[in-house]
């Protein structure tokens, strides 16, 4: 348990497509980067997020915007049935040409 004014962070590395993974207690926040590169991963990731997040929880996705835009589009449509998209922005690091699409979803 975190002391007053301090955050408690629990980190778990996992295979997004492993539907048998023991996720333990639901998380307040889940972050993922560049996980939509295979079209077959979209549905398993959505299913896993349903188990990973507590009600009111937040999912942050960072995804290269040009890598697999069709997978990201399908992911947003699929996850929209269970979560609300609250933020989406494409950012570029100063002095770099690499873009990253940042999307925030919230479980109602």
């Amino acid at each position: 348990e975190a002391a007053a004014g301090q955050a408690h962070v629990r980190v778990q590395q996992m295979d997004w497509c492993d539907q048998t993974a023991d996720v333990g207690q639901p998380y307040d926040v889940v972050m993922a980067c560049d996980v939509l590169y295979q079209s077959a991963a979209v549905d398993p990731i959505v299913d896993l997020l349903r188990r990973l997040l507590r009600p009111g929880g937040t999912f942050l996705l960072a995804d290269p915007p040009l890598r697999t835009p069709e997978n990201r589009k399908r992911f947003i449509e699929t996850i929209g049935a269970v979560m609300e998209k609250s933020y989406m922005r494409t950012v570029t690091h100063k002095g770099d040409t690499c873009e990253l699409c940042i999307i925030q979803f919230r479980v109602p």
Side-chain angles (χ1 to χ4, degrees):
E1 190 69 26
Q6 295 181 342
H8 177 77
V9 176
R10 182 171 47 117
V11 178
Q12 182 174 346
Q13 182 178 351
M14 60 188 344
D15 177 349
W16 289 99
C17 294
D18 181 1
Q19 295 299 303
T20 64
D22 178 16
V23 299
Q25 298 267 340
Y27 291 85
D28 296 325
V29 177
V30 172
M31 297 182 291
C33 183
D34 197 13
V35 295
L36 301 175
Y37 50 88
Q38 293 180 335
S39 59
V42 172
D43 292 327
I45 291 171
V46 171
D47 291 340
L48 184 59
L49 285 169
R50 289 179 178 150
R51 295 188 303 133
L52 283 172
L53 285 164
R54 68 166 180 78
T58 298
F59 173 59
L60 296 169
L61 172 67
D63 195 49
L66 301 178
R67 186 166 184 182
T68 53
E70 64 283 351
N71 292 351
R72 185 175 49 260
K73 180 178 186 241
R74 188 163 65 87
F75 176 81
I76 291 170
E77 290 169 353
T78 304
I79 205 166
V82 293
M83 295 185 193
E84 302 167 348
K85 181 173 73 172
S86 57
Y87 177 85
M88 183 170 170
R89 181 172 181 192
T90 299
V91 295
T92 304
H93 184 270
K94 186 176 181 178
D96 196 348
T97 58
C98 182
E99 290 184 325
L100 200 55
C101 182
I102 308 293
I103 310 170
Q104 177 177 333
F105 299 91
R106 181 168 291 284
V107 178

